[in-house]
Amino acid sequence: MKNQKYSVESEMVHADQPENDPFGSHVMPIYQTSTFKFNSVEDGRKFFAHEEGGGSHAYSRLGNPTVDRLEQAFATMEGENISSEVGALAFGSGMAAVSTALLALANGGSVVAQPALYGCTGQFLKDEAPELGINTHFVDLNNLEAVEQVLGENPDVKVIYGETMANPTMTVLNIPAVAEIAKTHNVLFLVDNTFATPYHLRPLELGADMVLHSTTKYLNGHGTLIGGALIAEQSLIDAHNVALFRKNLGGVTSPFDAWLNLNGLKTFTLRMQQHAKNGVKVAEYLDQHEAIEKVYYPGLSSDSEHELADELFEKGFGGVMSFELKGGFEAGVSMMNKVEFCTLAVSLGTVDTLIQHPASMTHSVMDPEIREQAGITDGLVRLAVGIENVDDIIGDLEQALKALKAVMA
Ligand SMILES: *Cc1c(COP(=O)(O)O)cnc(C)c1O
């Protein structure tokens, strides 16, 4: 079975077209309804007995036509070259996807995860999951020997959990190598592919079992919603009852958000092309700047992650990067207060450029020593390059860095 009829670029442009709308609507309507009417008792019985010929929908937590259409699009993008049927589940947030997946897959066992994780994922694994009997062994997943050792010593491991590119140093995960170990030990390998997106890299093709997304970021692209997704071979989703866990934990997405996301997907390929094109230009500009100690971006040929990224990524390396200011904390604060064109905000993957300084903002309440250990140094700045004219982005960074030099002098 093929998961798409046309090229993925074209499928995404057509992502929001309904297959058979009763009124011939060109764009997928928002089925803003909580419940659905049955034509007869018999139809209702068939629906709940999962028999053919009953109603197609009953209640929007169990399924909704607008959300179904979005899920088809997610399955198409991540399942491009997978021969078996690929399915997707949409969630009300990236964290709903992450927590639901971990609860469904790790139940009764433990998890192996990389230490540098998206903040809330790390917190969930460290604080909440253990209370539910799910413990995590934190290991650098690119240290394959260490992964082998942990799996050998802990036969109860059910899941290996990693992120394609990990904050703050944009470490690239060696997906094929970890996938091989996971297969040998018969554990599931989950990859959060939010930063790379299926435009650059498709974990299922590289051997991962399931892919997760915060669709809040690049997949929607316009910063208008909070959403998540899980994509895997349909047989695996079924075998682990992931849809049942979602139904009963309840982390579904709304028809309106699904519609917004479908609208965002139409320009997915174009947006990603431009993010990647701008990303490398901005990284190169920052890399030669005298106020900057180091730039972390796998697209730079000097980056420690470049070789592996070059092997695994296609068509560039996305738009997320971080860099270290020589002037430390003060320089970070000063630069943030000087940017005009870039938006001072957390998140990433929006069409406009976002910038933030973790030490004085998101991570300011953290103990400075623990913060340093997590790689969040005082002068670290996070930049999510947008799709604007790159000269405007660089021009703004230039003037903010110039003002900084005056402060430091
Ligand atoms: C944002 C993000 C999440 C969480 O997603 P939400 O949509 O905010 O719940 C998970 N993983 C990564 C890598 C993210 O960037």
Side-chain angles (χ1 to χ4, degrees):
M1 185 182 298
K2 204 160 176 273
N3 293 290
Q4 75 279 353
K5 205 160 146 197
Y6 303 104
S7 67
V8 169
E9 291 94 324
S10 303
E11 293 270 9
M12 289 309 109
V13 175
H14 292 205
D16 74 339
Q17 297 183 359
E19 267 160 20
N20 43 16
D21 181 77
F23 300 102
S25 175
H26 175 215
V27 168
M28 188 73 203
I30 307 170
Y31 283 93
Q32 193 69 38
T33 181
S34 37
T35 196
F36 297 81
K37 166 176 111 165
F38 293 111
N39 288 327
S40 65
V41 170
E42 181 57 9
D43 273 7
R45 187 197 63 76
K46 280 184 180 162
F47 177 88
F48 287 102
H50 304 289
E51 282 176 22
E52 292 277 312
S56 64
H57 293 84
Y59 187 66
S60 281
R61 179 160 44 75
L62 319 188
N64 174 285
T66 316
V67 177
D68 294 349
R69 190 70 192 88
L70 178 65
E71 291 176 338
Q72 278 171 21
F74 289 154
T76 298
M77 45 195 338
E78 285 287 5
E80 185 174 356
N81 298 309
I82 303 292
S83 53
S84 38
E85 185 192 355
V86 171
L89 297 172
F91 288 85
S93 70
M95 283 316 300
V98 169
S99 56
T100 303
L102 285 166
L103 290 173
L105 305 177
N107 82 71
S110 67
V111 177
V112 170
Q114 68 194 38
L117 287 170
Y118 174 75
C120 298
T121 304
Q123 209 172 50
F124 176 72
L125 286 174
K126 280 189 198 103
D127 301 336
E128 282 88 46
E131 299 206 17
L132 301 168
I134 299 167
N135 291 307
T136 298
H137 313 275
F138 290 97
V139 188
D140 171 5
L141 293 185
N142 281 353
N143 183 343
L144 303 175
E145 276 175 32
V147 176
E148 280 279 8
Q149 192 182 339
V150 172
L151 290 172
E153 288 168 1
N154 299 280
D156 72 327
V157 172
K158 292 260 177 82
V159 174
I160 301 179
Y161 188 95
E163 295 174 357
T164 320
M165 283 196 268
N167 261 325
T169 52
M170 309 302 294
T171 315
V172 173
L173 182 61
N174 192 344
I175 297 173
V178 177
E180 213 177 296
I181 298 180
K183 291 235 159 24
T184 323
H185 289 266
N186 201 21
V187 299
L188 291 166
F189 181 27
L190 262 71
V191 175
D192 179 335
N193 195 31
T194 301
F195 278 32
T197 83
Y199 176 76
H200 292 302
L201 182 153
R202 289 169 302 281
L204 298 181
E205 287 173 18
L206 299 176
D209 295 300
M210 291 195 181
V211 183
L212 295 161
H213 277 279
S214 166
T215 56
T216 310
K217 318 291 167 53
Y218 288 114
L219 295 200
N220 177 45
H222 295 71
T224 49
L225 62 87
I226 299 284
L230 176 142
I231 305 114
E233 283 185 19
Q234 188 61 47
S235 58
L236 206 57
I237 295 178
D238 294 341
H240 293 276
N241 292 323
V242 189
L244 279 178
F245 269 82
R246 181 185 64 171
K247 171 172 81 92
N248 296 339
L249 291 171
V252 290
T253 195
S254 73
F256 180 59
D257 280 358
W259 180 85
L260 282 173
N261 205 333
L262 283 166
N263 198 39
L265 285 181
K266 288 196 273 195
T267 54
F268 175 70
T269 305
L270 275 179
R271 286 189 283 110
M272 292 316 295
Q273 268 170 19
Q274 189 68 11
H275 280 295
K277 207 168 114 193
N278 284 354
V280 75
K281 284 192 187 147
V282 172
E284 278 168 0
Y285 162 76
L286 293 170
D287 197 39
Q288 54 76 47
H289 200 283
E290 56 184 350
I292 291 166
E293 181 75 43
K294 191 165 170 47
V295 178
Y296 300 98
Y297 181 67
L300 286 175
S301 53
S302 58
D303 193 87
S304 64
E305 304 302 307
H306 182 69
E307 202 183 317
L308 181 58
D310 206 32
E311 221 174 278
L312 303 183
F313 283 57
E314 291 170 7
K315 301 177 276 194
F317 307 90
V320 191
M321 64 193 67
S322 55
F323 58 91
E324 182 72 40
L325 288 166
K326 282 182 184 160
F329 190 87
E330 293 308 319
V333 173
S334 162
M335 186 183 180
M336 293 310 105
N337 284 329
K338 278 279 184 280
V339 289
E340 289 166 6
F341 180 75
C342 303
T343 301
L344 184 58
V346 299
S347 198
L348 61 111
T350 57
V351 284
D352 59 325
T353 300
L354 306 182
I355 194 164
Q356 78 120 337
H357 179 225
S360 67
M361 296 170 65
T362 44
H363 293 64
S364 62
V365 294
M366 231 168 140
D367 181 67
E369 218 166 284
I370 296 172
R371 193 168 68 211
E372 285 272 339
Q373 276 169 17
I376 315 282
T377 50
D378 283 353
L380 190 85
V381 173
R382 284 201 187 141
L383 183 64
V385 175
I387 66 167
E388 305 101 327
N389 183 320
V390 75
D391 294 340
D392 291 322
I393 304 169
I394 291 175
D396 191 38
L397 296 171
E398 174 96 7
Q399 65 80 23
L401 287 165
K402 207 175 265 163
L404 188 77
K405 237 172 75 188
V407 173
M408 284 163 67

